Amino acid sequence: MHFVKRIAHSSLGSGLPYKVLRTYALRDKPVTILCYHTLRPDHDNIDAWTVLRVSDFRRQVAFLRSHYDIVSLDQALENSSDKQKPLVVLTFDDGDIGLFYHLLPLVQSERLPVTVYISTGQIESGQPYWFDRIMNALQRPEKTIIDLTDHGLRSWLVGPETGVSRWAIISDILETLKSISPSGRKVLVEKIIEQAGSAISGFTPIAPMSIKQLKSLAEDPLVTIGAHSHCHNLLNQIPLDQARASIQMSRTLLETWTDQEIRHFAYPNGSHTTELQAELAQQGFISATVLDAELATLSMNRFALSRVGVGRYDTLNRFKLKLVKI
C-alpha cells in the first residue's frame, strides 16, 4: 500500500498533472497557511510527526520560494503584499526548543517571515506538555507495552519498528488520550510514562524554550508571536470560563515576555467553537487558525482560518500535494 501511494504521489506531484491540480486549487487566489511544530537535525532519530528534519524543511522552503511568495501572516490578512505569486504563510505551534536552535538561524539566513504560536504553560514551567512527554518516552529501541485496559481502554505494542509504523501507534495513543477529560488524562499519562521505563538517549527530547530563548526569537523582526493558550487543552472540551482564562493568561504572559502586541491565536489541536471565536474577538485578537487541511481565503471567517499541517513523514511529493489539497 505504501508503495502504491508513493507511485501515486510521484505521478501527481510532477509535470502536467501537478500543474493542472495547482491551477485548480489556486483558482480563487487562496492564502496557503502551513502549520509546523518544530525542527531537529537530521541525525536526531525521533519518531514524532511534529518534529521535522531541517533538511526537509529547507527543501520545502526552496520549493515554496520557486512557486509562492512567503509572507507574514499580517501581510496575508491585510492583502498588503505587492507580490504576483500565490501567498504562503509559515506558522509553528507550541514553542519547542528547536524553534530557537534551528528555526531562528534559518529565519535570519533565509530572511524568512514566520508566525510562532506559543503555549505559555510549558514556557513558564519549563516542563513539556503531556503529549510531548509521551512522544519522548515512547522512543525506546526495544518493544514497549502500554496497557490501559484497567481504565477501560486498550493496550498497545510500541516498537521495535521505527519510522511511520512506530508513529502510527504513538499517534493512536495520543488521539485516544485526547478524548479523555484533562483530569483523567493526567492519571493515564503518568501510567504510560511509568510503563515506558527510564529515559533514553539518541535524540534531543521535545522540550519548551526558556523565556530568555523566546525573547531572543521574538526580537527578530521577521518573527510574529501569537498565542496558543496557556493550558494547551482542547478548548472545546473545557468550560468556557476556563478557556477564557487560558487565552487571557497566554496573551498577558507573551506580551510581558516579548514586548509585542499579541494579535493572533491558534486553537490547540485546531478544536474550536463559535463561542470561542466570539471570545477571541471580544479579547481583541484579529485572527485565529484551525487545522483542517484547507486553503484559507480572505473572505472566510478570520477566527477560523484554515491551515495545512506538515510533518516529519511528508515526503516532498506529499508536501506538494498537500499544497493543492490532495
Side-chain angles (χ1 to χ4, degrees), residues 74-174:
D74 283 311
Q75 282 182 301
L77 294 180
E78 295 165 5
N79 200 22
S80 62
S81 172
D82 58 358
K83 308 296 186 180
Q84 299 302 310
K85 295 178 183 177
L87 303 183
V88 65
V89 177
L90 307 182
T91 70
F92 289 78
D93 285 5
D94 295 347
D96 174 74
I97 54 173
L99 303 181
F100 175 76
Y101 286 114
H102 308 298
L103 177 64
L104 182 56
L106 288 173
V107 166
Q108 295 170 338
S109 64
E110 300 288 334
R111 307 307 301 157
L112 201 62
V114 298
T115 295
V116 180
Y117 295 110
I118 298 292
S119 291
T120 49
Q122 63 172 353
I123 304 291
E124 184 179 54
S125 69
Q127 300 300 316
Y129 289 115
W130 66 268
F131 44 89
D132 288 335
R133 292 180 64 207
I134 288 176
M135 284 190 275
N136 288 336
L138 295 181
Q139 303 298 320
R140 303 184 67 81
E142 65 272 14
K143 66 181 180 181
T144 302
I145 298 174
I146 302 300
D147 187 352
L148 301 181
T149 53
D150 58 347
H151 291 269
L153 298 174
R154 53 165 292 195
S155 63
W156 293 264
L157 176 61
V158 185
E161 296 81 11
T162 60
V164 176
S165 59
R166 179 192 292 266
W167 171 246
I169 299 168
I170 296 174
S171 177
D172 189 52
I173 295 172
L174 296 176

Side-chain angles (χ1 to χ4, degrees), residues 100-294:
F100 175 76
Y101 286 114
H102 308 298
L103 177 64
L104 182 56
L106 288 173
V107 166
Q108 295 170 338
S109 64
E110 300 288 334
R111 307 307 301 157
L112 201 62
V114 298
T115 295
V116 180
Y117 295 110
I118 298 292
S119 291
T120 49
Q122 63 172 353
I123 304 291
E124 184 179 54
S125 69
Q127 300 300 316
Y129 289 115
W130 66 268
F131 44 89
D132 288 335
R133 292 180 64 207
I134 288 176
M135 284 190 275
N136 288 336
L138 295 181
Q139 303 298 320
R140 303 184 67 81
E142 65 272 14
K143 66 181 180 181
T144 302
I145 298 174
I146 302 300
D147 187 352
L148 301 181
T149 53
D150 58 347
H151 291 269
L153 298 174
R154 53 165 292 195
S155 63
W156 293 264
L157 176 61
V158 185
E161 296 81 11
T162 60
V164 176
S165 59
R166 179 192 292 266
W167 171 246
I169 299 168
I170 296 174
S171 177
D172 189 52
I173 295 172
L174 296 176
E175 291 302 314
T176 299
L177 292 186
K178 286 179 185 178
S179 67
I180 308 297
S181 69
S183 58
R185 184 189 304 133
K186 184 176 181 180
V187 173
L188 296 178
V189 169
E190 295 307 321
K191 183 162 188 176
I192 290 172
I193 299 298
E194 180 183 358
Q195 291 180 357
S198 58
I200 59 173
S201 60
F203 68 98
T204 305
I206 305 169
M209 288 182 285
S210 67
I211 295 175
K212 182 178 179 180
Q213 290 168 337
L214 173 59
K215 287 181 177 179
S216 295
L217 180 71
E219 285 172 357
D220 193 291
L222 290 171
V223 176
T224 299
I225 300 297
H228 195 40
S229 84
H230 187 70
C231 61
H232 204 290
N233 287 320
L234 278 63
L235 298 182
N236 63 334
Q237 289 185 344
I238 62 177
L240 183 59
D241 62 335
Q242 292 182 20
R244 177 184 298 116
S246 181
I247 295 167
Q248 288 174 336
M249 182 173 288
S250 67
R251 188 181 200 182
T252 298
L253 288 174
L254 287 171
E255 290 184 340
T256 300
W257 293 339
T258 70
D259 292 323
Q260 283 193 20
E261 180 184 7
I262 304 301
R263 308 192 304 156
H264 305 288
F265 188 84
Y267 303 101
N269 200 55
S271 303
H272 64 105
T273 63
T274 54
E275 290 79 12
L276 287 168
Q277 293 175 24
E279 178 60 36
L280 289 166
Q282 179 67 29
Q283 290 197 27
F285 288 90
I286 66 169
S287 81
T289 54
V290 302
L291 271 171
D292 58 4
E294 294 290 329

Side-chain angles (χ1 to χ4, degrees), residues 14-52:
S14 60
L16 182 59
Y18 188 72
K19 184 176 181 180
V20 171
L21 290 170
R22 187 168 181 272
T23 299
Y24 183 76
L26 300 178
R27 66 194 182 283
D28 294 326
K29 297 184 178 180
V31 175
T32 303
I33 306 178
L34 300 180
C35 173
Y36 296 91
H37 285 79
T38 192
L39 304 177
R40 285 292 187 278
D42 290 16
H43 60 74
D44 257 24
N45 294 317
I46 178 171
D47 287 318
W49 186 86
T50 55
V51 179
L52 195 69

